Amino acid sequence: MADRLTTDFQFHLAPRELASTIPEPLGQPERLAEARTYYRGGVICRQGDAARYIFQLVAGVAIRHVIRADGRRQIIDLLLPGDCFGFTIGKVYRSTTECICDTTAVTRYRRERIDATGAHGCHQAEIEALARLEDHIQVIGRTTSCEKVGAFLLELERRMSNQPQDLALPISRYDIADHLMISVETVSRALGNLKQQGSIRLTGPRAVKILDHDALEVGRS
Amino acid sequence: MADRLTTDFQFHLAPRELASTIPEPLGQPERLAEARTYYRGGVICRQGDAARYIFQLVAGVAIRHVIRADGRRQIIDLLLPGDCFGFTIGKVYRSTTECICDTTAVTRYRRERIDATGAHGCHQAEIEALARLEDHIQVIGRTTSCEKVGAFLLELERRMSNQPQDLALPISRYDIADHLMISVETVSRALGNLKQQGSIRLTGPRAVKILDHDALEVGRS
DNA sequence: CGCGGCATTGACTCATTTCAAAGGTGGTGG
DNA sequence: CCACCACCTTTGAAATGAGTCAATGCCGCG
């Protein structure tokens, strides 16, 4: 069940390779950790489910989203290898985490044990999640759609620095739209504008080369 | 130096009263805690400063914001008594926290000591901060300005549940605008619309009574 | 009394949404 | 092997909501 999204997409690192790059965040990994893999569309945890685990993504891509009353989907968090999620105040998850590509893998840790051991290793993972959300708030806080898309590309490039070649967009235009809270058409048009003004080059529908970082940063269109 | 913002605004709880309602988040409070008070406009910590402390707001109101390249201000987080802030990945703060009213008070904790003691008590404070940011992303993710303002009012009511009477807006229209990432005029018009449709009543410029929670929730305008 | 900050209202412009349709791509099944 | 199908992407035209510019009112305070 090969997924076309994964063909041009280099997140297929073996767990062993990842072990050196991704820190084990939550205490003694051997005792607590539990590995799981998912296909595209698979749900790691669902909104309303009892929050039994804290997760760390080790391979693939996932999005954490909520469905609003009007049926629209809102993507709260884009998860790349190394990112932790599943932190929640109450007893249930408040959002659904869904896998974007095949060969998505997580390590999960029982929450009760983490709570029991004092949540030592969570600290770093939590402030990283905080930084991620703050960065994202600033991305969607830009005024025009070109600025939003440009800032998103820069953020993506920074977070996927393991990829030296062209920036491979891990998610579809629809996902980008729901993440930036603009419409799909606007995303497509914004990419077209950035391309036209020479800030980026679209080497493929899912491959972007950033030519002018400063233009994206400031967002002058 | 009385501030008119504080006259209609009931955050003047004495530290003793707060002690029962606001948990001490960060270990042995007597040894680590350090109390500080600020006037309106006072800066608790500034973007770029060395991140020496973690803070908990114990009285007043504060906003955490960044100034973008184009000069616009973006409010990342609205801080009410009990909220913790100052978590950062690097060695410096990445945003500025400014007090909105006089008699704003914080308890601050040296970061090095927290790191040394394993960040035990931070866990709860951090996931609360995460929930705050997630909620806010969902608020600004609403489509129309009326929905955003309505969702903001509901969020505010929930977080200020200690106030049984009318909802006292802790921040100005300008602050609301920079928080919801819409213009001041739009905030004013949205409040007017919500008033006209009977969802809220404006008992004063800074006092709102929510009449129809469901209308604000769904955001039908 | 006048000043400064806050709030509201109006008119105009324009970017984005919405609605609609067509092109592209890969996967599946005949 | 090919054709169909589902999904993703792009483009166009029209409608509208929000931004911008501008002016006025409000209130507390020096």
Side-chain angles (χ1 to χ4, degrees):
Chain A
M1 188 179 178
D3 176 15
R4 99 157 190 274
L5 291 179
T6 61
T7 55
D8 57 347
F9 195 48
Q10 307 303 324
F11 278 133
H12 300 179
L13 303 177
R16 216 180 343 257
E17 296 179 70
L18 280 168
S20 58
T21 61
I22 296 179
E24 282 285 353
L26 310 172
Q28 295 79 6
E30 304 307 327
R31 309 280 299 274
L32 295 167
E34 196 176 336
R36 288 182 74 86
T37 61
Y38 298 87
Y39 291 121
R40 169 181 164 81
V43 170
I44 301 175
C45 61
R46 198 179 299 274
Q47 182 176 7
D49 281 355
R52 271 194 270 271
Y53 302 97
I54 305 288
F55 304 89
Q56 182 179 37
L57 202 76
V58 295
V61 188
I63 55 176
R64 192 156 61 81
H65 65 84
V66 296
I67 304 293
R68 294 213 305 259
D70 58 0
R72 286 165 187 259
R73 181 185 64 157
Q74 179 153 359
I75 296 179
I76 307 286
D77 204 358
L78 172 63
L79 300 160
L80 299 180
D83 295 335
C84 291
F85 57 99
F87 305 111
T88 186
I89 289 187
K91 295 198 179 306
V92 299
Y93 297 116
R94 289 149 34 98
S95 55
T96 298
T97 305
E98 180 189 340
C99 297
I100 291 299
C101 62
D102 290 339
T103 70
T104 295
V106 303
T107 309
R108 69 181 195 188
Y109 305 83
R110 297 200 90 86
R111 201 178 157 201
E112 63 222 30
R113 298 218 205 164
I114 288 173
D115 292 345
T117 58
H120 268 67
C122 277
H123 180 61
Q124 186 65 18
E126 282 162 356
I127 64 175
E128 280 172 11
L130 276 167
R132 225 159 51 224
L133 293 185
E134 285 183 20
D135 288 346
H136 186 233
I137 287 177
Q138 291 184 57
V139 169
I140 60 184
R142 305 267 169 150
T143 37
T144 70
S145 60
C146 283
E147 287 175 307
K148 289 182 188 179
V149 173
F152 172 72
L153 292 178
L154 288 179
E155 187 195 12
L156 212 56
E157 186 191 44
R158 183 172 48 76
R159 289 179 61 187
M160 291 170 44
S161 54
N162 45 318
Q163 292 207 122
Q165 70 275 30
D166 290 0
L167 187 61
L169 298 183
I171 57 178
S172 73
R173 302 283 190 272
Y174 285 89
D175 294 332
I176 297 174
D178 287 348
H179 197 216
L180 301 180
M181 297 179 302
I182 54 183
S183 68
V184 200
E185 298 92 336
T186 303
V187 173
S188 185
R189 277 186 257 262
L191 284 170
N193 290 344
L194 293 175
K195 175 188 175 184
Q196 198 127 28
Q197 76 188 42
S199 302
I200 64 173
R201 187 169 45 185
L202 290 171
T203 55
R206 290 294 185 95
V208 177
K209 183 155 190 64
I210 298 180
L211 301 176
D212 188 348
H213 286 74
D214 295 340
L216 297 187
E217 188 74 55
V218 179
R220 59 169 176 270
S221 64
Chain B
M1 188 177 175
D3 175 14
R4 101 156 191 274
L5 291 178
T6 61
T7 54
D8 55 349
F9 197 48
Q10 308 302 322
F11 278 132
H12 300 179
L13 304 176
R16 219 182 337 263
E17 294 180 70
L18 281 168
S20 58
T21 60
I22 297 179
E24 282 286 352
L26 311 172
Q28 296 78 4
E30 304 308 327
R31 308 280 299 274
L32 294 169
E34 196 178 335
R36 289 182 72 87
T37 60
Y38 298 86
Y39 291 122
R40 170 181 164 80
V43 170
I44 299 175
C45 61
R46 197 179 299 274
Q47 184 176 5
D49 281 356
R52 271 195 269 272
Y53 303 96
I54 304 288
F55 303 89
Q56 182 178 39
L57 203 76
V58 296
V61 188
I63 56 175
R64 192 156 61 82
H65 65 84
V66 295
I67 304 294
R68 295 211 306 259
D70 59 358
R72 286 166 187 260
R73 181 186 63 159
Q74 178 153 358
I75 296 178
I76 306 285
D77 202 0
L78 172 63
L79 299 160
L80 300 180
D83 296 335
C84 292
F85 58 100
F87 305 110
T88 187
I89 287 186
K91 294 196 179 309
V92 299
Y93 296 116
R94 288 148 34 97
S95 55
T96 298
T97 304
E98 179 190 340
C99 298
I100 290 300
C101 62
D102 290 340
T103 70
T104 296
V106 304
T107 308
R108 70 182 193 187
Y109 305 82
R110 297 200 90 87
R111 203 180 157 200
E112 64 222 30
R113 299 219 204 166
I114 288 173
D115 291 344
T117 59
H120 269 69
C122 277
H123 181 61
Q124 186 65 19
E126 281 161 356
I127 64 175
E128 282 172 11
L130 276 167
R132 226 159 50 223
L133 292 186
E134 285 182 23
D135 288 346
H136 186 233
I137 287 177
Q138 291 184 58
V139 169
I140 61 184
R142 306 267 169 150
T143 37
T144 70
S145 59
C146 282
E147 287 175 307
K148 291 182 188 178
V149 173
F152 171 73
L153 292 177
L154 288 179
E155 187 195 11
L156 212 56
E157 186 191 45
R158 183 171 48 75
R159 289 180 61 189
M160 293 172 40
S161 54
N162 45 319
Q163 291 206 123
Q165 69 274 29
D166 290 358
L167 187 61
L169 298 183
I171 57 178
S172 73
R173 301 282 191 272
Y174 286 88
D175 294 332
I176 296 174
D178 288 346
H179 198 215
L180 301 181
M181 297 179 301
I182 54 182
S183 68
V184 200
E185 298 92 333
T186 303
V187 173
S188 186
R189 277 187 257 262
L191 285 169
N193 289 345
L194 293 175
K195 175 188 176 183
Q196 198 125 28
Q197 77 188 40
S199 302
I200 63 172
R201 186 167 45 185
L202 290 171
T203 54
R206 290 293 186 96
V208 177
K209 184 155 190 64
I210 299 179
L211 301 175
D212 188 348
H213 286 74
D214 294 339
L216 298 186
E217 189 74 53
V218 180
R220 61 169 174 272
S221 61

